[in-house]
Amino acid sequence: MTEVGIDAIEIWTGKLKLDLPNTFAPAKGEDPEKYTKGLGLNASSFPDTYEDIVTMGANAAHRLMEHEGLEPEDIGRIDVATESSFDNSKPVSTYIAGCLEGVYDGKFSHANKGERKFACVAGTQSIDDAYNWIKAGRNRGRSALVIATDTALYARNDPGEATQGAGAVAMLISEDPELVSLSTEQGYGSADETDFLKPNQQFPSVDGKRSVQVYLARMREALEDFEGVAGRARTEDFAYIPFHTPFPGMVRKAALFGYRRMIRDTQQEEELADEIGRQPREEAFGVSGQGPESSGTESHADEEAYEEALNEYMDGLKRTDAYQEWYGRVIDPTLTISREVGNWYTGSVHLARTSALRTAFEEDRDLAGERLLVGSYGSGAQAEIHAETVQDTWERKIADLTIDQQIEDRYDLSYEEYERVHDVHNHDIESDLDQGEIEQFTDPHGEFVFDGWGRMGERKYRFVE
Ligand code: COA
């Protein structure tokens, strides 16, 4: 049977940097360790004044097409996943295709273009759509371009301001992929939730604490669903487990829940029993659910007693050598890029995968044939889990990534500059950009830039040599 998966990947970070412990925390009168230790973040990426979701997405896609030697005719689908769209009708993929057609001779005239929305899980859903399109035999030998692009900005003084970010991940989805193939098996955890939404507004309304609990609950359900079709997941089955990473501290929580579930009723649980006891069982407390947001018919007191016992077990578990060794080997390498760039919404889980593969490459690790377990999440809310198998040619696809250099080259904003940039990107504030007079902090070259507004309110772009 034909394998389908990710053939190539490219990343474009917003070109400005907000240093969280050294610039943001002091201005807010906060302890820098809230960022570095609590949230696990060093910096956020920001778009320069000539950047937006179209330029970042088009730049990532352009770089990918150049690297892969592709022409527009080789692409049969362009799907853009974003939570930062600025148009309720015309999809961002048409703008990106328009940019690319400006630098290629060919056109994407016969490519199906669309825009996917389900908060941060939409990038994974777009890969899913491409997978199904290819598996159905409708692709005529062509590949799909999936672009996850977001400016994850929050209103000033919202708690989410700590976890902002901006960037794009472009992925080529093909038959016989050279990076990772995707499992047919997948699991979902999905429910109507009000944790994070943007009802026709630019900046999100967020119940941050609740969103953390909803993430964990839906991820648990997705893992159960995945295991229902793929069999039990064990800690040693996967070289890396990239999760959606709104901030690394969130993944720290998810990984602990996942580990606990994976060692349940195994020799590993028995081996740890002398040190921390066995996991509390729901039956012993008369409850039917487990973990965050259990939905059984248990009494409140039973549930509280179970939660307390569970928290105590988890506190012990996270301190064990076995857990810490596993976390350091399987989870921590997925977080290195995210720590420096913040939340990229739809792109975040794809950064996590890339971060892990890049670590393996740097460590000269032989990863061919090894498996990844990928956990995506979108508020509102839905989690998806599937497995991926690393292909023999994976190193070739990772070797030329320039993300480290891009991160290094970002312009380091002062707090006052950050405030100005945030205002420039705020659609409700009339900025000098509209008169074409705004300052820019970096000089574009070899990339697409925003070039003002057209007569119908459309955005215009040009390529700067
Ligand atoms: N040293 C070490 N750790 C510290 C600290 C310090 N000085 N100060 C705070 N922390 C820890 C807190 O204990 C907390 O960790 P915990 O959750 O493990 O307990 C973490 O840092 C964050 O601190 P908190 O006070 O909870 O931050 P906050 O009130 O600013 O809210 C979010 C954090 C994530 C809820 C907020 O940034 C948000 O709303 N983000 C957007 C929504 C989001 O990303 N949701 C995730 C699911 S998609």
Side-chain angles (χ1 to χ4, degrees):
M1 204 162 59
T2 316
E3 295 288 344
V4 175
I6 305 174
D7 201 27
I9 196 156
E10 266 297 348
I11 300 174
W12 186 276
T13 178
K15 293 166 87 174
L16 306 179
K17 162 188 169 184
L18 177 62
D19 185 318
L20 293 168
N22 298 310
T23 304
F24 191 68
K28 294 274 175 189
E30 286 176 325
D31 182 350
E33 293 202 337
K34 170 181 169 183
Y35 296 89
T36 51
K37 296 215 164 115
L39 297 168
L41 288 167
N42 296 328
S44 301
S45 280
F46 270 81
D48 205 334
T49 51
Y50 56 84
E51 292 187 293
D52 66 12
I53 51 172
V54 172
T55 65
M56 294 188 299
N59 287 323
H62 183 215
R63 197 173 263 174
L64 185 143
M65 288 181 67
E66 289 294 286
H67 194 258
E68 297 299 309
L70 295 168
E71 295 293 326
E73 293 77 10
D74 301 319
I75 305 295
R77 263 185 99 98
I78 307 179
D79 284 309
V80 170
T82 185
E83 306 182 45
S84 321
S85 198
F86 45 77
D87 193 310
N88 287 322
S89 178
K90 182 175 156 64
V92 169
S93 49
T94 59
Y95 283 98
I96 290 182
C99 286
L100 294 169
E101 285 173 352
V103 295
Y104 287 100
D105 290 337
K107 301 248 177 262
F108 297 96
S109 311
H110 304 296
N112 183 7
K113 305 177 190 110
E115 191 171 305
R116 249 298 189 172
K117 177 174 70 182
F118 196 146
C120 305
V121 77
T124 298
Q125 289 182 315
S126 298
I127 294 177
D128 206 41
D129 292 340
Y131 176 97
N132 294 334
W133 171 70
I134 295 172
K135 282 273 182 182
R138 290 178 144 180
N139 61 316
R140 294 184 248 153
R142 297 170 301 171
S143 297
L145 196 50
V146 167
I147 302 161
T149 180
D150 270 300
T151 46
L153 302 190
Y154 290 76
R156 301 288 315 284
N157 302 318
D158 185 290
E161 202 183 359
T163 62
Q164 300 178 109
V169 181
M171 291 166 282
L172 191 71
I173 313 301
S174 309
E175 317 183 19
D176 301 323
E178 296 203 331
L179 188 56
V180 293
S181 64
L182 307 187
S183 65
T184 310
E185 297 83 13
Q186 58 181 172
Y188 285 99
S190 190
D192 176 10
E193 294 280 4
T194 310
D195 54 334
F196 173 114
L197 54 158
K198 292 179 167 185
N200 283 327
Q201 63 197 41
Q202 184 190 4
F203 300 129
S205 300
V206 197
D207 184 341
K209 304 285 182 218
R210 179 159 173 72
S211 75
V212 170
Q213 292 311 309
V214 174
Y215 176 122
L216 295 173
R218 302 292 85 79
M219 200 63 87
R220 173 173 57 76
E221 293 159 2
L223 182 58
E224 282 168 11
D225 194 37
F226 175 77
E227 290 187 326
V229 58
R232 271 202 68 177
R234 310 275 189 194
T235 56
E236 298 314 311
D237 290 348
F238 303 102
Y240 298 108
I241 305 186
F243 281 101
H244 168 53
T245 311
F247 53 95
M250 181 70 243
V251 171
R252 218 161 42 218
K253 295 180 204 289
L256 186 61
F257 274 102
Y259 188 82
R260 178 185 66 95
R261 185 182 165 83
M262 287 193 270
I263 66 165
R264 195 166 149 118
D265 296 322
T266 67
Q267 187 60 30
Q268 287 164 294
E269 184 185 7
E270 293 309 321
E271 283 165 11
L272 289 173
D274 281 349
E275 200 180 334
I276 55 170
R278 291 185 76 237
Q279 299 188 15
R281 277 5 193 213
E282 297 87 334
E283 313 82 75
F285 291 81
V287 299
S288 55
Q290 55 169 308
E293 295 225 318
S294 62
S295 54
T297 53
E298 58 272 14
S299 80
H300 192 57
D302 292 340
E303 200 185 312
E304 271 191 0
Y306 173 68
E307 288 294 331
E308 201 177 307
L310 193 60
N311 287 339
E312 198 180 315
Y313 180 82
M314 303 276 271
D315 265 357
L317 183 62
K318 78 173 167 220
R319 293 192 176 85
T320 60
D321 291 345
Y323 176 71
Q324 291 194 0
E325 186 279 326
W326 175 83
Y327 183 89
R329 180 165 46 85
V330 175
I331 304 294
D332 200 54
T334 70
L335 303 175
T336 46
I337 300 176
S338 165
R339 253 184 220 115
E340 306 304 325
V341 304
N343 191 359
W344 287 13
Y345 287 164
T346 53
S348 285
V349 65
H350 309 294
L351 279 185
R353 177 201 295 102
T354 311
S355 179
L357 296 176
R358 201 191 48 153
T359 305
F361 178 76
E362 283 164 1
E363 292 173 352
D364 207 14
R365 185 168 164 186
D366 180 11
L367 212 58
E370 297 238 34
R371 298 177 80 220
L372 316 178
L373 188 69
V374 181
S376 305
Y377 171 77
S379 291
Q382 184 160 295
E384 191 264 9
I385 289 186
H386 67 265
E388 299 181 355
T389 305
V390 180
Q391 302 298 292
D392 291 346
T393 36
W394 71 278
E395 284 168 292
R396 220 168 353 109
K397 298 292 173 151
I398 292 295
D400 296 335
L401 282 177
T402 60
I403 183 62
D404 287 333
Q405 196 56 50
Q406 292 182 49
I407 287 173
E408 185 66 31
D409 289 347
R410 289 174 304 177
Y411 177 88
D412 191 1
L413 293 164
S414 69
Y415 189 75
E416 189 263 329
E417 287 167 338
Y418 158 67
E419 289 181 303
R420 292 212 303 275
V421 168
H422 197 287
D423 281 355
V424 167
H425 290 290
N426 184 338
H427 300 166
D428 292 336
I429 295 180
E430 176 93 357
S431 79
D432 296 342
L433 182 64
D434 303 320
Q435 280 78 52
E437 288 165 8
I438 198 80
E439 67 188 303
Q440 58 192 44
F441 297 90
T442 57
D443 286 327
H445 56 90
E447 66 194 272
F448 298 101
V449 298
F450 175 72
D451 196 28
W453 307 90
R455 100 194 138 82
M456 289 174 72
E458 76 276 22
R459 292 180 186 221
K460 296 169 65 156
Y461 299 92
R462 72 189 154 89
F463 189 76
V464 176
E465 294 294 344

